[in-house]
Amino acid sequence: MAPECHAQIITDIAQAEKGLTMRRTSAKPMILRATLLSALIVIAGGAALAEAPRASADALTAPFLNVIPRTAEEAARIARVTAAPADFTAPEPFEDNPAGGATVRARSDADAFSQPPGNISFERELDFKVGNGLFRKLWVSSPSSTLASDGLGPIYNARSCQRCHLKDGRGHPPEGSEDSAASMFLRVSVPAKKAVVASKIEAFLLSLGDTRQHSRPDPVYGGQLQDFGVLGHPAEYRLAVTWEEVAVPLQGGVARLRHPTWRAADLGYGPLAEGAMLSPRVAPQMIGLGLLEAIPAQDILAHTDPEDSDGDGISGRPQILWSFEFDRPMLGRFGWKAGAATIREQSASAFAGDIGISTPLFPAPWGDCTEAQATCRAAPHGDGDERGTEVDREGLDLVTFYSRNLGVPARRDTGSPPVLNGKRVFHEAGCASCHVPKFVTDRLEGQPEQSFQLIWPFTDLLLHDMGEGLADHRPEGRATGREWKTPPLWGIGLTPQVNGHSYYLHDGRARSLLEAVLWHGGEAQPARDHVAQVTPRDRADLIRYLESL
Amino acid sequence: MPRLTTATAVLALCAAPALAQEKSAVLTTYADIGQAVYSDSLTTAKALKAAVKDLIASPSEASLTAARAAWVTARVPYQQSEAFRFGNAIVDEWEGRVNAWPLDEGLIDYVDADYGGATDENLYAALNVIANPSFRLSGGEIDASDITPKFLAETLHEADGVEANVATGYHAIEFLLWGQDLNGTAHGAGDRPYTDFAAGVSCTNDHCDRRGDYLMAAVDLLIEDLDWMANQWGQSGAARTTLSDNPEAGIAAILTGMGSLSYGEQAGERMKLGVMLNDPEEEHDCFSDNTHNSHFYDGLGIRNVYFGEYVGIDGRVVTGKSLSALVAAADPSVDGDLRAALDHTMAELGQLKAAAEAGFSYDQMLARGNAEGEATIMAAVDALVAQTRHIERAVAALRLEDVGFEGSNSLDDPGAVFQ
């Protein structure tokens, strides 16, 4: 599966949010945040889009989850347990198990991210294993005698999910000019012509007075560039990169960062459209996704501060996009710019965009091929047998179940003095403002693995301006060209063990955790500067702490 | 019921001393079976090595047939060992080296022209190490002039993090002995000619010497791995002492191994997925068409650890205090039902094996629209699913169901989970 769904690239409703905010200037920020979403719901369910069903807050944010409402007593316990730590001399209660009951033993091998959650039943383990079989399945081109396995492409980035999500961990940039780019790719879009309304979310936003310019897929290449084609179909491009090293001074040392310039070389279908914007994306790790999906939306929105009313320099804006599956606005959670609201939509869009496999959600059998790529669209495809789409509903459900359930490994060394000191530095630097350590998931009927778990993902799932250094200059939905969603940090210390490398950030430019920290800019600049200025010992301990996650 | 893990079973369970002694005795039987089954796997792997040596020294139809027969024999004890995999971390973290599947065979040797292709994104799927003494991997130059066990294990296996890049273990050896099965869902296994190992002008498909080197290195590595694992189950081996150090967790480990292998691994990933996709690529022993035996002996291995009885390759019986007796003491009806369910599974797997040996091979059963094949496989799947329900009842009868991450809310317990 790949990072995000280009088909869901929506647009910006900052104007709407601003309007709603301004009308409630007398309200306290917390209340204001809570009402934002309900205001949106009312609009979505009302006049703006008559076909969108009226919905409650829970239904808007997670209509597929069967949520048991929290009691006041639970809310109080949750507030206590998720409070920031004050004592750094010992681990906090429950800290060893970052996924609560879904935590898995921290294996010492490359399979550490590939385990079913610790609290899954034997029965549901079967679905997990069959889903895993589909996740690693190599799709073949049509026509083929194995009808259930064909439908690849015609153009694609990978033949299987696992090919990018290596060992369910993170992908990497090419190691050299001859190395395959198969665990990352480029997104592409062009600015839309003004006054052309192309999607429900755009119509919705326009009705709120938002006239911001939107973006569109490239008219020839679509929303994503595929670097492979089945026989007879040229690849769209070859991923090319040049690196430029720069020295960065630190208290008591110096670091070197490598700055990438990404290019779409050897274009197979003519030049990109004028003004084309490219965004490189490495496949992210797969662990704990179902738990992120089960965080109550209001708990995520409680961290938003679009106007920085508390003056800490950190805003945090929710990605709100149009769900194809539920036909309504929803909170984006998955992908580098939070471009997908649910694991199911994320999985289906990755099948379409990355492998060229159709699902009931995205039924076009040619994946990301545009009308301009007529040969691709007219080629043999793998749909039309008794399964309907190339992957049927059952198959998509199984891959979704698998992706929702990959267990998060237990922490290591939580009580060791360097790790505890590193934790102190993490909090003092302000990292925890965006890399929010703790949430408690909703109580869910029918999903015991994710239900009511105290989790430690280290993300607020919100969009933040990360500065010019990390900017891709390609807006996606509400996210600007400088904004990225805070990625979760759980399991990050096991990356070398699972993936054999230590490349981090959206395009794998950072070669170590320290480099990743030093790339932070924009809202995170003060936290980054804090880390650059502490003693080498404190900095090393901070890294030890991250390695223990 | 939460799945049990040895790491977490530590948390609960206070048993009376007599019961604790019985549990220790059950674990001794279990570990004895482990030692015997891995030792038998080692012995049969050594016999495989002798046959492979013979094949390489004097390639002929007869020596190839003998090597294939030795491989099939070697699978008999090994598959029975799989009941030890889940629940014993030491086995689970080792297993990928010896029994990983499915594999991109083009990594190892020549393949049919329709396989993969030049635009395939898994560069290594068509790498063909046997034909290429040097190649580039992850941007670096790799010297493969000497194909050694170390090279296979440390450089080639899961090259570039791609799980299909299986370079070692039974299935890599299987591919080298049989070659690709190009019959799809029609009858017939792989048909590699013995001349693929011939010297000089008789050599077919080139690089026969390197093919022999690869085969020998893979067998040597298998022996090395099995030898290590057999030792872990010896009197002072880590696998055995981990169990005896915590008998309650050990009992949970036996049941976890039974349940996870029955349900998710075998009924799910190895059987149901293939039926769902009608894809012979999902057949567990797809080169040799030995899948029916792999499934049958997996089932037998599950039965062995519950009944506390293993019949070795020389007819020697390893037996002792059984988990069955422990469950019977807690609830005779649960024990009776579980024994019956395990026996029923063996009957279904026996029928599947019988049909396959009579000429209705497993890949034929997977063919789209083959109702008889689907029914034969699904009867075994259903039996495996049914026996897991009784495994869960046994867990409850032994009061092991509260063991696990959900078992504790104590703040001073480092394994505690907020609830």
Side-chain angles (χ1 to χ4, degrees):
Chain A
M1 233 181 30
E4 283 145 281
C5 168
H6 74 271
Q8 297 183 144
I9 306 309
I10 322 290
T11 179
D12 197 294
I13 60 168
Q15 292 298 322
E17 183 177 75
K18 202 169 178 181
L20 292 163
T21 309
M22 283 165 63
R23 265 178 263 132
R24 291 178 181 78
T25 41
S26 61
K28 287 202 162 37
M30 282 297 289
I31 298 168
L32 200 152
R33 291 164 192 154
T35 52
L36 162 64
L37 200 61
S38 11
L40 283 169
I41 299 152
V42 172
I43 295 159
L49 278 168
E51 71 271 30
R54 188 174 294 274
S56 72
D58 288 336
L60 173 82
T61 54
F64 55 99
L65 299 176
N66 196 353
V67 176
I68 304 164
R70 269 180 193 169
T71 64
E73 181 269 331
E74 281 174 352
R77 281 174 56 216
I78 289 166
R80 279 198 302 277
V81 81
T82 56
D87 173 17
F88 296 101
T89 61
E92 292 167 79
F94 316 115
E95 192 172 351
D96 277 5
N97 290 322
T103 307
V104 295
R105 178 175 64 84
R107 294 170 65 111
S108 59
D109 63 8
D111 290 326
F113 287 172
S114 304
Q115 304 304 310
N119 56 357
I120 199 170
S121 68
F122 288 129
E123 288 86 340
R124 290 162 72 88
E125 199 181 350
L126 183 143
D127 291 336
F128 179 89
K129 291 277 178 100
V130 177
N132 184 26
L134 291 168
F135 195 79
R136 63 160 162 68
K137 171 144 207 66
L138 292 167
W139 300 90
V140 300
S141 58
S142 302
S144 157
S145 57
T146 52
L147 288 173
S149 304
D150 69 357
L152 177 68
I155 52 174
Y156 61 97
N157 295 104
R159 280 181 62 199
S160 70
C161 306
Q162 197 272 331
R163 184 60 190 85
C164 292
H165 297 283
L166 299 163
K167 306 300 294 177
D168 303 297
R170 66 182 67 217
H172 57 82
E175 287 281 0
S177 58
E178 291 171 50
D179 193 20
S180 152
S183 55
M184 71 177 297
F185 57 60
L186 295 179
R187 285 282 167 73
V188 58
S189 55
V190 296
K193 291 193 174 67
K194 287 230 176 205
V196 178
V197 176
S199 68
K200 286 183 178 177
I201 194 93
E202 289 177 10
F204 165 60
L205 294 166
L206 198 59
S207 75
L208 298 175
D210 177 4
T211 55
R212 156 188 273 271
Q213 190 172 24
H214 306 301
S215 61
R216 297 276 183 277
D218 182 280
V220 173
Y221 287 89
Q224 179 171 317
L225 297 180
Q226 285 82 15
D227 50 354
F228 294 96
V230 303
L231 200 64
H233 297 267
E236 286 190 335
Y237 83 124
R238 179 176 58 80
L239 181 63
V241 59
T242 44
W243 303 101
E244 189 188 345
E245 286 231 5
V246 287
V248 175
L250 301 172
Q251 174 71 32
V254 65
R256 300 191 70 81
L257 300 182
R258 56 171 188 173
H259 196 294
T261 304
W262 297 100
R263 289 187 322 279
D266 301 344
L267 287 162
Y269 299 79
L272 292 167
E274 198 184 328
M277 303 171 282
L278 299 175
S279 180
R281 307 291 175 94
V282 158
Q285 62 183 26
M286 295 292 296
I287 54 174
L289 298 183
L291 295 158
L292 299 178
E293 195 173 51
I295 299 174
Q298 57 267 32
D299 291 0
I300 294 167
L301 295 172
H303 290 279
T304 61
D305 187 10
E307 305 304 313
D308 190 21
S309 48
D310 63 4
D312 66 352
I314 294 168
S315 62
R317 300 192 311 132
Q319 174 73 284
I320 295 180
L321 43 80
W322 196 269
S323 162
F324 282 70
E325 190 175 5
F326 299 103
D327 202 27
R328 63 182 61 163
M330 283 178 69
L331 180 64
R333 298 175 191 239
F334 303 105
W336 289 104
K337 296 210 181 199
T342 73
I343 295 167
R344 197 178 152 83
E345 288 197 30
Q346 171 79 26
S347 307
S349 64
F351 264 127
D354 307 352
I355 316 183
I357 291 285
S358 62
T359 58
L361 272 184
F362 299 108
W366 50 75
D368 190 43
C369 285
T370 61
E371 274 181 47
Q373 293 167 310
T375 314
C376 172
R377 287 204 169 187
H381 300 296
D383 57 346
D385 59 33
E386 66 199 19
R387 290 175 184 83
T389 45
E390 291 163 339
V391 162
D392 62 8
R393 186 163 294 282
E394 184 188 16
L396 180 59
D397 285 347
L398 287 164
V399 170
T400 303
F401 185 82
Y402 174 76
S403 305
R404 182 179 283 151
N405 274 292
L406 284 150
V408 180
R411 292 274 309 277
R412 288 81 51 215
D413 307 326
T414 46
S416 88
V419 167
L420 287 165
N421 185 47
K423 182 180 175 182
R424 177 187 61 80
V425 176
F426 183 86
H427 282 268
E428 283 179 6
C431 307
S433 300
C434 302
H435 289 287
V436 174
K438 290 172 276 187
F439 287 94
V440 173
T441 59
D442 264 323
R443 277 196 195 278
L444 302 174
E445 285 283 10
Q447 284 181 227
E449 300 85 3
Q450 285 85 39
S451 180
F452 205 66
Q453 304 293 349
L454 170 63
I455 60 170
W456 306 65
F458 298 91
T459 172
D460 58 4
L461 295 178
L462 296 172
L463 303 170
H464 297 276
D465 182 334
M466 294 302 294
E468 193 57 27
L470 284 176
D472 66 352
H473 303 112
R474 175 180 175 273
E476 175 180 334
R478 301 195 72 203
T480 68
R482 290 164 59 104
E483 283 181 322
W484 299 94
K485 181 200 76 182
T486 312
L489 299 182
W490 51 11
I492 198 165
L494 291 172
T495 303
Q497 178 186 314
V498 169
N499 291 116
H501 67 73
S502 54
Y503 299 134
Y504 305 101
L505 301 172
H506 64 277
D507 56 4
R509 67 176 67 184
R511 293 164 294 190
S512 66
L513 291 167
L514 180 60
E515 286 188 18
V517 172
L518 295 173
W519 271 108
H520 284 55
E523 295 174 35
Q525 188 72 41
R528 177 241 173 255
D529 292 347
H530 182 98
V531 173
Q533 283 155 18
V534 297
T535 63
R537 163 62 66 87
D538 276 356
R539 203 154 49 232
D541 286 353
L542 172 68
I543 300 303
R544 279 291 297 116
Y545 173 63
L546 295 173
E547 286 169 349
S548 80
L549 298 182
Chain B
M1 190 215 69
R3 212 164 47 98
L4 305 175
T5 66
T6 48
T8 56
V10 180
L11 301 179
L13 289 182
C14 37
L19 188 57
Q21 231 171 28
E22 288 189 2
K23 284 179 176 163
S24 290
V26 169
L27 289 171
T28 300
T29 308
Y30 178 69
D32 288 347
I33 294 176
Q35 187 177 12
V37 81
Y38 287 111
S39 299
D40 281 355
S41 300
L42 176 62
T43 303
T44 49
K46 285 178 176 168
L48 170 63
K49 179 174 175 172
V52 161
K53 249 183 161 163
D54 197 37
L55 167 66
I56 293 167
S58 48
S60 69
E61 202 65 56
S63 59
L64 177 59
T65 304
R68 287 173 176 172
W71 185 88
V72 170
T73 303
R75 294 291 283 172
V76 173
Y78 179 77
Q79 286 303 101
Q80 290 181 76
S81 80
E82 288 216 293
F84 289 84
R85 173 178 164 190
F86 304 101
N88 293 292
I90 193 169
V91 181
D92 204 19
E93 293 197 4
W94 161 92
E95 183 272 348
R97 295 162 61 98
V98 293
N99 198 38
W101 75 286
L103 63 150
D104 252 345
E105 55 267 35
L107 171 74
I108 299 173
D109 200 357
Y110 72 90
V111 288
D112 188 71
D114 289 343
Y115 184 91
T119 65
D120 197 297
E121 95 289 353
N122 182 4
L123 297 174
Y124 314 114
L127 176 62
N128 191 350
V129 171
I130 284 171
N132 292 288
S134 75
F135 57 91
R136 294 188 73 80
L137 179 69
S138 305
E141 190 75 21
I142 301 293
D143 176 8
S145 50
D146 273 343
I147 302 179
T148 61
K150 186 176 154 71
F151 169 74
L152 297 186
E154 293 172 16
T155 304
L156 204 55
H157 194 57
E158 290 201 347
D160 215 21
V162 177
E163 289 171 18
N165 286 340
V166 174
T168 67
Y170 286 103
H171 297 295
I173 297 167
E174 181 195 3
F175 168 57
L176 286 168
L177 290 177
W178 271 271
Q180 283 183 297
D181 180 351
L182 300 173
N183 303 298
T185 54
H187 190 68
D191 191 22
R192 184 187 290 281
Y194 72 86
T195 47
D196 273 11
F197 298 96
V201 290
S202 313
C203 170
T204 49
N205 296 304
D206 305 327
H207 315 290
C208 289
D209 51 339
R210 287 177 61 81
R211 190 170 294 113
D213 289 348
Y214 195 119
L215 178 57
M216 192 50 89
V219 172
D220 279 338
L221 184 63
L222 180 67
I223 288 172
E224 203 177 290
D225 286 334
L226 289 169
D227 186 48
W228 183 84
M229 184 51 74
N231 281 323
Q232 304 311 306
W233 291 92
Q235 287 313 308
S236 54
R240 185 183 288 259
T241 54
T242 301
L243 296 168
S244 55
D245 286 351
N246 192 324
E248 290 78 14
I251 299 295
I254 303 179
L255 288 156
T256 298
M258 292 173 63
S260 287
L261 179 60
S262 297
Y263 215 121
E265 183 73 17
Q266 197 180 351
E269 192 165 359
R270 295 190 191 175
M271 299 180 80
K272 194 181 167 192
L273 183 66
V275 172
M276 205 175 114
L277 297 175
N278 307 121
D279 188 349
E281 286 289 314
E282 296 297 332
E283 189 191 6
H284 191 252
D285 297 7
C286 68
F287 308 113
S288 62
D289 279 1
N290 190 50
T291 304
H292 54 283
N293 279 323
S294 283
H295 292 346
F296 180 85
Y297 291 111
D298 256 5
L300 188 59
I302 297 167
R303 190 185 178 280
N304 291 342
V305 297
Y306 188 71
F307 281 66
E309 185 176 87
Y310 167 69
V311 180
I313 51 170
D314 51 3
R316 183 173 38 94
V317 178
V318 178
T319 186
K321 175 85 177 174
S322 69
L323 179 56
S324 169
L326 199 66
V327 173
D331 187 334
S333 77
V334 170
D335 176 57
D337 289 349
L338 179 49
R339 290 173 75 99
L342 293 168
D343 284 342
H344 175 64
T345 297
M346 290 320 297
E348 295 293 353
L349 288 171
Q351 288 174 359
L352 190 154
K353 175 173 154 76
E357 286 178 348
F360 183 31
S361 57
Y362 197 88
D363 43 13
Q364 288 176 276
M365 297 181 197
L366 290 176
R368 193 157 170 260
N370 190 323
E372 294 78 14
E374 181 171 340
T376 306
I377 294 173
M378 287 310 292
V381 168
D382 292 344
L384 285 162
V385 167
Q387 82 184 22
T388 310
R389 310 255 179 247
H390 296 295
I391 293 169
E392 288 173 343
R393 287 176 63 214
V395 169
L398 295 175
R399 299 187 182 182
L400 295 166
E401 75 260 71
D402 289 334
V403 179
F405 281 112
E406 293 181 347
S408 172
N409 195 21
S410 153
L411 292 190
D412 41 357
D413 180 346
V417 167
F418 176 79
Q419 340 194 23

